[in-house]
Amino acid sequence: MAAAGQRQTGLVGFFPVRRTLLATRIGPCRSRSRRREAGRTHRLAWVLGCSMGAAALLGVAPAARAQAAGSLAGLVVDAKSGAPASGVRLQLVTPDGRVVARSSSDAGGRFQLGSIAGGRYRLEASRIGYAQASLDATVEAGRTLEVTIALEPRAVSLDAEVVTASRQEEKVLEAPASVSVIEREVVAAQPALTVADHVATLPGVDVASSGLTQHNVVTRGFNNAGSGQLLVLTDNRYAAVPSLRINAYNFIPLTDFDLERIEVVRGPGAALYGPNTTAGVMHLITRSPFDSRGTTLGFAAGARSLIQVAARHAGALGSSLGFKLSGQYLRAQDFGFVDPEEQASRQAALRAGADPDTLRIGRRDSLIERLAGEARLDLKAGRRTTLIAAAGFNQALNNVDITGFGAAQVRNWRYQYAQVRLVRPDFFAQAFYNGSDAGDTYQLRTGQPVVDRSRQVVAQVQRVLRPDSHQMLTLGADLQRTDPRTEGTIYGRYEQDDLTDEAGAYVHSETRLARADVVVALRADYHSRVPGVVLSPRAAAVLRAGPAHTLRLTYNRAFSTPTSNDLFLDLLVDSLRDPATGVAIPFAVRAQGVPKSGFTFARTCGPLLGGLCMRSPFAPPALGGPRQYLSADATRLWSVVVDSLRNRGVDLSGIPAPTAAEVGTALGRLDAASRSFVPILPSDVADVEPLGHRTTNTIEVGYKGTWSRSLLAAVDLYYSWYHGFTSEYVATPNVFFDRGSLATYLARFLPAAQADQIAGVLSQIPVGTISPKEAFDPTTILVTFRNFGRVSLAGLDAAATLMLSGALSVEGSYSWVSRNWFTKVGGIGDVALNAPRHKGALTLRYAASPGGVAARAAIRYVGGFPVKSGIFAGQVNPYALLDADLSLPAPLIPRARLSLVGTNLLQATPGAFGSGWRLRARHREFVRVPEMGRLLLARVELEL
């Protein structure tokens, strides 16, 4: 990894790692492109031994440098405009390919390399947005050589460098993974409300928006409400909300001014990144304060009463200490949504006497308001060592977001972090803390408060060894502790026993041959709540078919650990109402995490329904009360039914109680999405095993290449199979009167029409619950989690960039998966990909030069898809969108830019019953979420 003041290398990627650098999720390594040119001197790196309580640095000092005899200084300029080019990375290379010095240009384009032995060298300069340049230089003892190097601007860099694919700098063409990069110039020219807006047109990326700033993002499907499938990193730090493991992109405190680039790696990568990387990695890399000195102010305003203010200041105290401060404020009126289930629950509560001024059920406020800030300090300890400290927070003052159990009104939710990184060549170590405080947030279906004061602490370290010029070994380890603290609101009766510890270690080997790289890796991970150790192997071969073409064949196995919700959830998520009157009935719906023993059902209660035992809130003391197991016989509670109907003016007291032979008993399982019951058989009631890991295996064949230096093309074909899906489902069926036999029985005493009407009402009201022994509440309807089944699918991701001229380019992407719905997986339930089978994008981009006029027009198509995620079930219709933006120097204002952005300018969806496409005002990207409409905004950016 480069020292501060240069681009820092970052996390490992996921396919064959050409250089072995995977460690605890971040690896400092030299650029692979330099390795190709000649052999290198091999050096041992420092080692960091770390634990949760203490850390000690061990290392081998680098060999002493040769006595310096001269220096090299100069200026880097834009070849077209002649303006100084800041943030350009420079390195001085010997004829045999050894890097002897590195630096970067300052705000005035100046740089200096000192203490250089006399001799001939090659000076190389690179920066995103420019073509790489080099020149030969001869340094003489005791003298300073002055040079000027001009960089040709390039709107789209076909040979951009990435770090996430292999945890080291490498060209996109050389990256052993399916990877996309969004560069600094693209981010600057396209103002966005969150980083998710930047990745929507990338191949294989699924973005489901539920508001202006609320998004769920995955790669290659299996999206969800409140998704955490994609590993999101900010400067190598986990960006998800701790314990909940939800990627809340509106909680990430970055501004667009902070971003250096965004890298997205598709596919599993546990051998490099550890657990929870089954869907790939998105890495947000920020700018070094040494390379981006100055002050930037931004003000945006637009439709929906949108106002956004952002500021960033970076500077340096001498040559060794750099700092950055940034912050933003956003306020807007979101697209509204009225949830009929929330409103029905609200009306029921009001009928029961609730105060409408204080009742939280169904009280939605679509205002979005957030405040965020960050600080960073870079300390250079010599040329080769940098210590980086950073801290930040995001205060979500107000918005509505979705979870698997319904929407939540977010109020004053605070997310914060602190991070320390130590960076040396071939060595990286870090520790970070993530914290969360849900403030006054509450659930909209139940009005229950959400308290989340969770925290997470992580430590990571990596060491690289090079036994010879063809072999590289990387050893690494990491530790993390997650401490959910919800004061009983989310984790309820698990609150005192919900800590989880995770540890991982790995070895990664790369062997470099004449035309290929061979990579093998193995990682072992331990989770304190899941028995045993899980192994994540990797094998890969990367063939260099030519100087601008690569082919790869890879196998990766990855896994996801159970979340804190899966293990410890204890939360009231809904309540039932009488279908005839809307009055609440005593059957709550409660989500409960899976205990270490799992859930087991009693089957010792007589001959009916396979001996299943029920418990009922209606059971009188004579039958043992609500905690007593009874045979699953609805007729045992006939007296309760008679009393209930008497309160409605229907008197059945003269009708004798039926026997089980006269009136049958039926089972029904609640469909959480529709609040209706689906008939099931006794054989459908299964015990729930303790939770394990979900595993993903993927075989992938990929190609990347450039043609005539104007076309970059990439095609990835993969086959994946998944074991042990973890999904929420209703585990407890309910007991009902069988309608047919009840109507026949009542017809002995009542007119047939009346008997059928009464039977219809009674047969919809549960009288008992088939509840497991481990249920906290014996009569509630239990929603829990389970691993089940195996599914497989094939897929294709393709992308191409064509340079039409030096300023104009066309980018296209297309993704396909073979299936997006899996029926009765493991004999238990259906599984949805929650993503389309087909999607694509076409983008026309113009950028004359960095800092000049830039424009973009993008068309995006998303095919329709079924949704099944918690209470969210239904169908998303296909849609096509047009976005456009323009960025240019502001007239009459020096060092200012004006940006105009139009999102969803045109929206098209199919007509009724699939008839022709029509332009619409709005479209919907998930179920039970607002329809997204057009957003227009303007931003002024001023550099001081």
Side-chain angles (χ1 to χ4, degrees), residues 708-726:
S708 302
R709 299 297 299 171
S710 61
L711 174 65
L712 170 65
V715 180
D716 305 299
L717 181 64
Y718 61 91
Y719 177 78
S720 296
W721 60 102
Y722 306 82
H723 292 273
F725 276 97
T726 302

mmCIF file of all heavy atoms in Angstrom, residues 708-726:
data_model
loop_
_atom_site.group_PDB
_atom_site.id
_atom_site.type_symbol
_atom_site.label_atom_id
_atom_site.label_comp_id
_atom_site.label_asym_id
_atom_site.label_seq_id
_atom_site.Cartn_x
_atom_site.Cartn_y
_atom_site.Cartn_z
ATOM 1 N N SER A 708 -7.450 -1.688 -29.741
ATOM 2 C CA SER A 708 -7.027 -0.446 -30.397
ATOM 3 C C SER A 708 -7.027 0.737 -29.434
ATOM 4 O O SER A 708 -7.222 1.875 -29.836
ATOM 5 C CB SER A 708 -7.949 -0.128 -31.591
ATOM 6 O OG SER A 708 -7.948 -1.196 -32.520
ATOM 7 N N ARG A 709 -6.836 0.463 -28.160
ATOM 8 C CA ARG A 709 -6.783 1.512 -27.137
ATOM 9 C C ARG A 709 -8.036 2.378 -27.089
ATOM 10 O O ARG A 709 -8.034 3.460 -26.515
ATOM 11 C CB ARG A 709 -5.558 2.414 -27.328
ATOM 12 C CG ARG A 709 -4.235 1.700 -27.230
ATOM 13 C CD ARG A 709 -4.030 1.115 -25.855
ATOM 14 N NE ARG A 709 -4.026 2.137 -24.819
ATOM 15 C CZ ARG A 709 -4.043 1.874 -23.523
ATOM 16 N NH1 ARG A 709 -4.100 0.624 -23.108
ATOM 17 N NH2 ARG A 709 -4.013 2.859 -22.640
ATOM 18 N N SER A 710 -9.111 1.889 -27.704
ATOM 19 C CA SER A 710 -10.342 2.689 -27.686
ATOM 20 C C SER A 710 -11.534 1.907 -27.152
ATOM 21 O O SER A 710 -12.575 2.499 -26.884
ATOM 22 C CB SER A 710 -10.671 3.183 -29.095
ATOM 23 O OG SER A 710 -10.889 2.089 -29.977
ATOM 24 N N LEU A 711 -11.406 0.600 -27.002
ATOM 25 C CA LEU A 711 -12.512 -0.224 -26.532
ATOM 26 C C LEU A 711 -12.043 -1.119 -25.395
ATOM 27 O O LEU A 711 -11.056 -1.855 -25.547
ATOM 28 C CB LEU A 711 -13.066 -1.088 -27.670
ATOM 29 C CG LEU A 711 -14.146 -2.114 -27.271
ATOM 30 C CD1 LEU A 711 -15.411 -1.401 -26.789
ATOM 31 C CD2 LEU A 711 -14.461 -3.043 -28.443
ATOM 32 N N LEU A 712 -12.718 -1.031 -24.287
ATOM 33 C CA LEU A 712 -12.495 -1.934 -23.161
ATOM 34 C C LEU A 712 -13.721 -2.819 -23.033
ATOM 35 O O LEU A 712 -14.850 -2.312 -22.934
ATOM 36 C CB LEU A 712 -12.273 -1.154 -21.869
ATOM 37 C CG LEU A 712 -12.272 -1.971 -20.563
ATOM 38 C CD1 LEU A 712 -11.091 -2.929 -20.535
ATOM 39 C CD2 LEU A 712 -12.245 -1.056 -19.350
ATOM 40 N N ALA A 713 -13.532 -4.129 -23.041
ATOM 41 C CA ALA A 713 -14.655 -5.063 -22.943
ATOM 42 C C ALA A 713 -14.379 -6.073 -21.839
ATOM 43 O O ALA A 713 -13.233 -6.487 -21.628
ATOM 44 C CB ALA A 713 -14.869 -5.787 -24.271
ATOM 45 N N ALA A 714 -15.422 -6.469 -21.127
ATOM 46 C CA ALA A 714 -15.311 -7.474 -20.071
ATOM 47 C C ALA A 714 -16.561 -8.339 -20.091
ATOM 48 O O ALA A 714 -17.681 -7.820 -20.192
ATOM 49 C CB ALA A 714 -15.145 -6.808 -18.709
ATOM 50 N N VAL A 715 -16.365 -9.643 -20.006
ATOM 51 C CA VAL A 715 -17.468 -10.594 -19.970
ATOM 52 C C VAL A 715 -17.172 -11.609 -18.872
ATOM 53 O O VAL A 715 -16.070 -12.160 -18.814
ATOM 54 C CB VAL A 715 -17.652 -11.322 -21.318
ATOM 55 C CG1 VAL A 715 -18.814 -12.308 -21.227
ATOM 56 C CG2 VAL A 715 -17.887 -10.331 -22.444
ATOM 57 N N ASP A 716 -18.142 -11.847 -18.004
ATOM 58 C CA ASP A 716 -18.004 -12.812 -16.914
ATOM 59 C C ASP A 716 -19.174 -13.767 -16.958
ATOM 60 O O ASP A 716 -20.336 -13.338 -16.930
ATOM 61 C CB ASP A 716 -17.979 -12.092 -15.563
ATOM 62 C CG ASP A 716 -16.904 -11.021 -15.501
ATOM 63 O OD1 ASP A 716 -15.732 -11.372 -15.636
ATOM 64 O OD2 ASP A 716 -17.266 -9.831 -15.347
ATOM 65 N N LEU A 717 -18.887 -15.051 -17.024
ATOM 66 C CA LEU A 717 -19.900 -16.090 -17.003
ATOM 67 C C LEU A 717 -19.676 -16.920 -15.743
ATOM 68 O O LEU A 717 -18.568 -17.397 -15.511
ATOM 69 C CB LEU A 717 -19.807 -16.963 -18.248
ATOM 70 C CG LEU A 717 -20.833 -18.091 -18.392
ATOM 71 C CD1 LEU A 717 -22.239 -17.517 -18.505
ATOM 72 C CD2 LEU A 717 -20.511 -18.957 -19.602
ATOM 73 N N TYR A 718 -20.714 -17.074 -14.922
ATOM 74 C CA TYR A 718 -20.527 -17.752 -13.644
ATOM 75 C C TYR A 718 -21.659 -18.728 -13.371
ATOM 76 O O TYR A 718 -22.762 -18.620 -13.901
ATOM 77 C CB TYR A 718 -20.429 -16.736 -12.501
ATOM 78 C CG TYR A 718 -21.658 -15.877 -12.318
ATOM 79 C CD1 TYR A 718 -22.691 -16.248 -11.456
ATOM 80 C CD2 TYR A 718 -21.807 -14.678 -13.018
ATOM 81 C CE1 TYR A 718 -23.821 -15.464 -11.287
ATOM 82 C CE2 TYR A 718 -22.933 -13.884 -12.856
ATOM 83 C CZ TYR A 718 -23.941 -14.283 -11.992
ATOM 84 O OH TYR A 718 -25.059 -13.503 -11.841
ATOM 85 N N TYR A 719 -21.349 -19.682 -12.516
ATOM 86 C CA TYR A 719 -22.340 -20.639 -12.011
ATOM 87 C C TYR A 719 -22.171 -20.702 -10.504
ATOM 88 O O TYR A 719 -21.060 -20.935 -10.005
ATOM 89 C CB TYR A 719 -22.135 -22.017 -12.628
ATOM 90 C CG TYR A 719 -23.092 -23.068 -12.086
ATOM 91 C CD1 TYR A 719 -24.410 -23.126 -12.526
ATOM 92 C CD2 TYR A 719 -22.678 -23.982 -11.123
ATOM 93 C CE1 TYR A 719 -25.285 -24.071 -12.032
ATOM 94 C CE2 TYR A 719 -23.550 -24.936 -10.616
ATOM 95 C CZ TYR A 719 -24.851 -24.973 -11.081
ATOM 96 O OH TYR A 719 -25.721 -25.908 -10.577
ATOM 97 N N SER A 720 -23.256 -20.484 -9.775
ATOM 98 C CA SER A 720 -23.191 -20.453 -8.310
ATOM 99 C C SER A 720 -24.209 -21.408 -7.721
ATOM 100 O O SER A 720 -25.313 -21.580 -8.256
ATOM 101 C CB SER A 720 -23.488 -19.036 -7.786
ATOM 102 O OG SER A 720 -22.519 -18.117 -8.214
ATOM 103 N N TRP A 721 -23.834 -22.060 -6.622
ATOM 104 C CA TRP A 721 -24.790 -22.844 -5.858
ATOM 105 C C TRP A 721 -24.679 -22.456 -4.386
ATOM 106 O O TRP A 721 -23.621 -22.173 -3.856
ATOM 107 C CB TRP A 721 -24.614 -24.334 -6.085
ATOM 108 C CG TRP A 721 -23.298 -24.946 -5.719
ATOM 109 C CD1 TRP A 721 -22.993 -25.673 -4.606
ATOM 110 C CD2 TRP A 721 -22.081 -24.936 -6.511
ATOM 111 N NE1 TRP A 721 -21.697 -26.100 -4.629
ATOM 112 C CE2 TRP A 721 -21.113 -25.671 -5.780
ATOM 113 C CE3 TRP A 721 -21.732 -24.375 -7.739
ATOM 114 C CZ2 TRP A 721 -19.816 -25.847 -6.252
ATOM 115 C CZ3 TRP A 721 -20.429 -24.558 -8.201
ATOM 116 C CH2 TRP A 721 -19.501 -25.293 -7.462
ATOM 117 N N TYR A 722 -25.859 -22.412 -3.747
ATOM 118 C CA TYR A 722 -26.001 -21.845 -2.412
ATOM 119 C C TYR A 722 -26.577 -22.900 -1.479
ATOM 120 O O TYR A 722 -27.543 -23.586 -1.821
ATOM 121 C CB TYR A 722 -26.941 -20.636 -2.433
ATOM 122 C CG TYR A 722 -26.570 -19.570 -3.434
ATOM 123 C CD1 TYR A 722 -26.922 -19.682 -4.779
ATOM 124 C CD2 TYR A 722 -25.877 -18.431 -3.043
ATOM 125 C CE1 TYR A 722 -26.590 -18.709 -5.698
ATOM 126 C CE2 TYR A 722 -25.546 -17.440 -3.956
ATOM 127 C CZ TYR A 722 -25.902 -17.585 -5.283
ATOM 128 O OH TYR A 722 -25.566 -16.627 -6.189
ATOM 129 N N HIS A 723 -26.011 -22.999 -0.296
ATOM 130 C CA HIS A 723 -26.503 -23.917 0.733
ATOM 131 C C HIS A 723 -26.909 -23.118 1.968
ATOM 132 O O HIS A 723 -26.257 -22.128 2.327
ATOM 133 C CB HIS A 723 -25.414 -24.915 1.153
ATOM 134 C CG HIS A 723 -25.044 -25.896 0.103
ATOM 135 N ND1 HIS A 723 -25.707 -27.089 -0.079
ATOM 136 C CD2 HIS A 723 -24.073 -25.872 -0.838
ATOM 137 C CE1 HIS A 723 -25.146 -27.758 -1.080
ATOM 138 N NE2 HIS A 723 -24.163 -27.030 -1.557
ATOM 139 N N GLY A 724 -27.961 -23.581 2.641
ATOM 140 C CA GLY A 724 -28.285 -23.043 3.950
ATOM 141 C C GLY A 724 -28.770 -21.616 3.944
ATOM 142 O O GLY A 724 -28.313 -20.802 4.755
ATOM 143 N N PHE A 725 -29.699 -21.291 3.049
ATOM 144 C CA PHE A 725 -30.292 -19.955 3.100
ATOM 145 C C PHE A 725 -30.782 -19.669 4.509
ATOM 146 O O PHE A 725 -31.373 -20.525 5.168
ATOM 147 C CB PHE A 725 -31.477 -19.856 2.145
ATOM 148 C CG PHE A 725 -31.089 -19.540 0.751
ATOM 149 C CD1 PHE A 725 -30.960 -20.543 -0.180
ATOM 150 C CD2 PHE A 725 -30.832 -18.242 0.368
ATOM 151 C CE1 PHE A 725 -30.598 -20.267 -1.478
ATOM 152 C CE2 PHE A 725 -30.468 -17.949 -0.926
ATOM 153 C CZ PHE A 725 -30.344 -18.964 -1.854
ATOM 154 N N THR A 726 -30.548 -18.471 4.981
ATOM 155 C CA THR A 726 -31.141 -18.027 6.237
ATOM 156 C C THR A 726 -32.274 -17.070 5.895
ATOM 157 O O THR A 726 -32.053 -16.030 5.286
ATOM 158 C CB THR A 726 -30.115 -17.323 7.133
ATOM 159 O OG1 THR A 726 -29.029 -18.209 7.387
ATOM 160 C CG2 THR A 726 -30.747 -16.926 8.458
#
